[in-house]
């Protein structure tokens, strides 16, 4: 599955575009220079705001009278809307939002255009989930593209591991046996002198849950069940951002 990338320097542009669609109009036009085949499935990546926080969703291409469009599933569109609202709330812009029909879109060359991406090979990933099937699937997927994966089954084990080892990214479940993932994230942000991106991979799908996770210090949020290309795009986006900050 190949990727098509959208760039919104102003988070409110993204919120305006997503919010302007009706319940039956969950479609977007293509960025300039992109083309699709009718019926093709692609991964749409949205790079939003000055910090270039990214989210993504699979979409099916359609060719109609208005030209090529990407059509999204209602669940994915709602998740995009939640992400847009959170980004606009936490990163308000001094500029007025652009018209929904003309979003500021460009194709940043640094974003992956196909799966699997290769930037970030060898990065150390800590996956924390008490579900062995999730641990196995995520580990196999990440190791297949050159990442080094360590797994833990509880927040307590993960905290001990983070205190003695260095990682480039933490993939964290919310619902863990004793200490929750939210509590662990808060503790890492409050007590540990480490810069560790945190991506929640969880079945908690409500807008309130997403807001709580970001308020606790999370960098991104993916809802189970997940699509491998989407999770991969989110992980490599966080890794790429960490590399840029450390440069």
């Amino acid at each position: 599955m190949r990727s098509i990338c959208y760039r919104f320097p102003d988070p409110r542009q993204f919120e305006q575009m997503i919010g302007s669609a009706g319940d039956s109009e969950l479609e977007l036009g293509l960025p300039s220079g992109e083309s699709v085949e009718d019926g093709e499935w692609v991964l749409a990546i949205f790079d939003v705001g000055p910090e270039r926080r990214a989210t993504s969703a699979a979409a099916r291409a359609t060719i109609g009278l208005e030209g090529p469009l990407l059509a999204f599933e209602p669940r994915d569109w709602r998740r995009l809307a939640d992400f847009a609202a959170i980004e606009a709330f936490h990163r308000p812009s001094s500029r007025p939002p652009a018209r929904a029909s003309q979003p500021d879109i460009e194709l940043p060359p640094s974003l992956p255009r196909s799966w699997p991406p290769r930037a970030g090979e060898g990065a150390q990933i800590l996956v924390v989930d008490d579900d062995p099937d999730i641990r196995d699937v995520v580990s196999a997927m990440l190791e297949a593209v050159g990442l080094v994966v360590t797994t833990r089954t509880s927040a307590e084990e993960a905290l001990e591991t983070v205190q003695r080892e260095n990682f480039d990214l933490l993939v964290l479940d919310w619902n863990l046996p004793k200490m929750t993932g939210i509590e662990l994230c808060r503790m890492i942000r409050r007590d540990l002198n480490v810069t560790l991106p945190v991506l929640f991979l969880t079945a908690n799908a409500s807008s309130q849950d997403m807001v709580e996770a970001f308020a606790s210090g999370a960098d991104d949020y993916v809802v189970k069940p997940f699509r491998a290309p989407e999770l991969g795009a989110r992980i490599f986006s966080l890794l790429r951002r960490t590399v840029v900050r450390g440069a």
Side-chain angles (χ1 to χ4, degrees), residues 80-178:
L80 291 175
D82 289 337
F83 179 87
I86 291 169
E87 289 301 299
F89 177 78
H90 288 291
R91 295 165 180 79
S93 170
S94 59
R95 295 185 296 160
R99 293 177 57 190
S101 59
Q102 296 179 337
D104 183 4
I105 297 174
E106 62 185 47
L107 288 173
S110 60
L111 284 177
R113 302 182 65 83
S114 63
W115 175 258
R118 289 296 176 184
E121 284 186 293
Q124 300 282 336
I125 312 297
L126 178 60
V127 177
V128 185
D129 201 304
D130 61 334
D131 185 333
D133 292 334
I134 294 293
R135 291 198 307 272
D136 291 346
V137 168
V138 174
S139 296
M141 185 191 87
L142 298 182
E143 289 171 349
V145 292
L147 303 182
V148 180
V149 181
T150 300
T151 63
R152 293 293 182 264
T153 61
S154 71
E156 290 80 6
E157 291 177 342
L159 179 60
E160 180 182 350
T161 303
V162 169
Q163 288 173 325
R164 69 171 188 266
E165 301 178 33
N166 294 323
F167 292 93
D168 299 295
L169 177 69
L170 172 61
V171 178
L172 179 61
D173 187 20
W174 182 310
N175 301 303
L176 295 169
K178 294 180 181 178

Side-chain angles (χ1 to χ4, degrees), residues 179-192:
M179 183 193 303
T180 67
I182 288 289
E183 292 170 328
L184 174 60
C185 186
R186 288 173 180 157
M187 187 172 297
I188 289 174
R189 294 292 183 248
R190 184 184 67 235
D191 300 334
L192 300 186

Side-chain angles (χ1 to χ4, degrees), residues 178-235:
K178 294 180 181 178
M179 183 193 303
T180 67
I182 288 289
E183 292 170 328
L184 174 60
C185 186
R186 288 173 180 157
M187 187 172 297
I188 289 174
R189 294 292 183 248
R190 184 184 67 235
D191 300 334
L192 300 186
N193 187 26
V194 296
T195 302
L196 178 63
V198 177
L199 181 149
F200 270 92
L201 180 61
T202 175
N204 294 40
S206 73
S207 299
Q208 182 177 353
D209 290 334
M210 295 181 70
V211 170
E212 184 175 357
F214 282 112
S216 74
D219 296 276
D220 208 344
Y221 196 96
V222 176
V223 176
K224 300 174 185 175
F226 62 91
R227 294 185 177 95
E230 176 185 348
L231 179 61
R234 303 286 194 92
I235 286 174

